[in-house]
Amino acid sequence: MKVSKWLSAVLSLVLSGGLIAGCSQPASNPPASSSGGTGQAGQTITLKMVESITSPQRTELLKEMLAKFEAKNPGIKVDLISPPFEGADQKITQMLMAKEALDVLEVREFNAKQFSMNGFIENLKPYTDKWKNYDQLTDIAKRRATWVDNTPYYIPNGLYQRVLFYRTDWLKEAGLEVPKTWEELLVAAKKLTDPAKNRFGYSFRGGPTGWDYALITIWAYNGTQVDPASAFFLKDGRTVFSTPESLEALTFYKQLYKEASPADSVSWGFQEMVQGFVSGSTAFLIQDPDVIDGAKEKMKEGTWATAPLPIGPSGVAQQVVGGPGWGMTAYSQHKEEAWKLIEFLSDPEQSTTYAKRTSVIPVVKSAAEDEFYKTGYFKPFIDMNAQGQTYIDVSRPVDYKGWGAWQSAADKDIQSYLLDKISAEDLLKQWDQYWTKEKAERK
């Protein structure tokens, strides 16, 4: 199959360009066999599996789970490939393009459509139709599994979403309640800000992917007008950047930076904003569940907690929920065995254990009844997912041709706005024109 020019263009933006030149075209390559036997009686089949979001701790956990799978399934072995996190998705793409021996792979939202369009990954519907645990997946997990063409190309292994981290001791000292809205957050953050004591209300993110934080306020201010399926647009087809509510949101966003955040947070990325919170410089932080372990390690118990995301004036908050998962190569010669592995890893018991030990949000309904998730730092994640009308799951337009180029420019745009080099009106006009054109060219 000839790899599309579109895929190459996306890869050149997402991945380091130097390695793209080394990618071979898969068209003339015959499907490669996995190592091991042919599946005939008495022979051992060896599945090749590759993970994307690698870390030493996660890889060790996966090896434990694979050992259990092998013990339950004599005759099937699994070779786990764990590329370094930086470049793992590029490695997987290269393996698929070359049709290297591979049966099970970790698929992510930003490459799921590319992989399906190029015929790299298998439609799992014939398997999920017969899988007793498919209905055990939460609604959000099912939407992640089927967001490409409403077809299950992978089974999510955990969810990445954000909540509000806050300092319980600072709020108590100031006599403040936990903010439920963006306006309440601003009021509390301003009251807690005291530069003389190196205390600030909010861990602002103005550096890499800072545009993403501007977006969650723009969405919250536009409320239910936003199209959940492609959240840069409204349900009436206009861009989300075309409304008076978005102008109000950007005005609010600059106020949050200038009046309640450290000045140098205009260049903060993930590490800096998390460090600002766990080191005791900021009162509020909006981040993923993987911050919980670091906060436990560096902060005194009882001085911090988590809460649902602030909602906007319309009473809702949008969230982009990441959900990578396990898929199968379309050219695997051992599809039944590959599905058996995916089915095992996605079993509610295995899946919940995985979520607990990797600090991701579980994808199965039964986890909500687990004592681990009924109280404490993870409870707000479960609560938000149970209130889908208030905390609306939305998708970014990652499948648009101009997505990668827009991301690169948007960080600079937001910084220019925060530093008063461009007005909110001009910024919104630029983004409105860009996405209006993108939508027109897509038709």
Side-chain angles (χ1 to χ4, degrees):
M1 177 176 295
K2 185 176 182 180
V3 178
S4 70
K5 292 181 180 178
W6 177 71
L7 171 59
S8 298
V10 172
L11 288 172
S12 69
L13 291 168
V14 177
L15 310 172
S16 59
L19 291 176
I20 296 300
C23 294
S24 59
Q25 299 291 326
S28 61
N29 294 343
S33 300
S34 298
S35 59
T38 62
Q40 297 177 358
Q43 292 186 318
T44 296
I45 288 174
T46 300
L47 299 175
K48 293 282 189 180
M49 171 180 174
V50 62
E51 59 170 328
S52 165
I53 309 173
T54 53
S55 72
Q57 297 81 7
R58 186 183 192 261
T59 298
E60 193 59 34
L61 171 59
L62 285 177
K63 287 180 177 177
E64 288 179 27
M65 297 173 74
L66 295 178
K68 290 181 182 177
F69 171 77
E70 291 175 345
K72 288 186 65 173
N73 294 277
I76 304 178
K77 298 292 182 185
V78 184
D79 279 350
L80 177 64
I81 303 167
S82 303
F85 176 76
E86 298 294 339
D89 293 303
Q90 182 178 13
K91 169 67 176 177
I92 293 171
T93 302
Q94 287 179 315
M95 293 178 74
L96 293 170
M97 294 175 71
K99 288 195 175 178
E100 290 185 24
L102 187 61
D103 302 286
V104 175
L105 71 159
E106 190 159 28
V107 182
R108 302 177 70 178
E109 289 91 337
F110 63 80
N111 56 28
K113 188 148 192 170
Q114 302 158 25
F115 290 173
S116 65
M117 286 177 61
N118 286 280
F120 293 154
I121 54 177
E122 183 79 355
N123 174 357
L124 298 181
K125 194 169 190 312
Y127 303 94
T128 57
D129 281 349
K130 300 175 183 175
W131 182 35
K132 66 178 182 179
N133 287 324
Y134 187 68
D135 283 336
Q136 286 296 312
L137 295 177
T138 62
D139 291 343
I140 288 182
K142 282 185 180 177
R143 284 198 292 274
R144 296 279 78 76
T146 59
W147 87 274
V148 176
D149 301 330
N150 200 30
T151 300
Y153 281 105
Y154 61 97
I155 307 300
N157 52 38
L159 302 178
Y160 295 78
Q161 56 188 113
R162 295 170 180 156
V163 291
L164 177 68
F165 291 72
Y166 65 94
R167 289 292 300 258
T168 54
D169 51 349
W170 291 17
L171 291 183
K172 186 177 180 180
E173 288 171 9
L176 294 167
E177 298 292 327
V178 180
K180 293 184 174 63
T181 69
W182 279 106
E183 287 297 330
E184 290 176 0
L185 186 145
L186 176 60
V187 170
K190 288 168 65 175
K191 189 169 183 178
L192 294 171
T193 295
D194 185 351
K197 295 181 180 177
N198 192 34
R199 279 191 175 191
F200 297 89
Y202 186 66
S203 264
F204 199 88
R205 183 164 180 167
T209 62
W211 56 263
D212 199 24
Y213 282 79
L215 254 297
I216 61 175
T217 57
I218 288 175
W219 287 331
Y221 273 71
N222 282 280
T224 55
Q225 296 184 84
V226 178
D227 180 3
S230 189
F232 277 29
F233 300 95
L234 304 175
K235 291 174 181 174
D236 66 10
R238 292 178 295 150
T239 81
V240 75
F241 310 113
S242 64
T243 68
E245 289 85 355
S246 293
L247 180 59
E248 188 181 354
L250 273 191
T251 302
F252 165 87
Y253 195 61
K254 182 183 279 190
Q255 193 177 3
L256 185 62
Y257 166 63
K258 287 187 175 289
E259 299 180 18
S261 307
D264 62 348
S265 61
V266 70
S267 60
W268 281 8
F270 172 80
Q271 296 292 345
E272 293 85 0
M273 68 189 302
V274 172
Q275 182 62 22
F277 182 73
V278 300
S279 68
S281 296
T282 58
F284 297 112
L285 167 75
I286 291 177
Q287 258 302 341
D288 296 330
D290 52 2
V291 172
I292 290 175
D293 285 344
K296 281 183 178 176
E297 181 182 331
K298 296 181 179 179
M299 300 176 75
K300 186 178 177 182
E301 182 74 17
T303 63
W304 65 283
T306 56
L309 288 173
I311 58 176
S314 64
V316 304
Q318 284 81 355
Q319 56 174 342
V320 176
V321 180
W326 304 120
M328 180 196 307
T329 57
Y331 58 82
S332 169
Q333 293 189 347
H334 304 299
K335 292 182 179 177
E336 291 300 323
E337 291 80 5
W339 171 251
K340 190 172 285 189
L341 174 57
I342 294 171
E343 187 178 37
F344 173 82
L345 295 173
S346 306
D347 172 85
E349 180 181 349
Q350 299 298 326
S351 179
T352 303
T353 299
Y354 170 86
K356 288 179 180 177
R357 291 181 58 181
T358 56
S359 291
V360 295
I361 306 307
V363 298
V364 293
K365 296 174 183 174
S366 57
E369 302 305 316
D370 192 308
E371 288 299 323
F372 184 85
Y373 294 106
K374 284 186 174 180
T375 60
Y377 304 119
F378 286 95
K379 185 174 184 299
F381 293 97
I382 305 300
D383 291 345
M384 287 170 57
N385 290 347
Q387 302 174 63
Q389 298 298 313
T390 301
Y391 301 98
I392 302 170
D393 177 29
V394 299
S395 297
R396 306 185 190 100
V398 296
D399 52 340
Y400 276 65
K401 186 176 63 178
W403 170 246
W406 182 83
Q407 288 184 86
S408 300
D411 277 342
K412 295 176 183 176
D413 294 340
I414 281 292
Q415 285 189 330
S416 294
Y417 170 60
L418 295 170
L419 297 174
D420 301 321
K421 295 178 180 177
I422 184 173
S423 69
E425 290 83 353
D426 287 343
L427 173 60
L428 289 171
K429 184 178 179 180
Q430 284 182 23
W431 288 0
D432 177 47
Q433 290 175 342
Y434 185 94
W435 285 103
T436 298
K437 183 180 177 185
E438 280 291 312
K439 189 167 188 174
E441 291 178 349
R442 188 179 170 87
K443 291 179 180 177

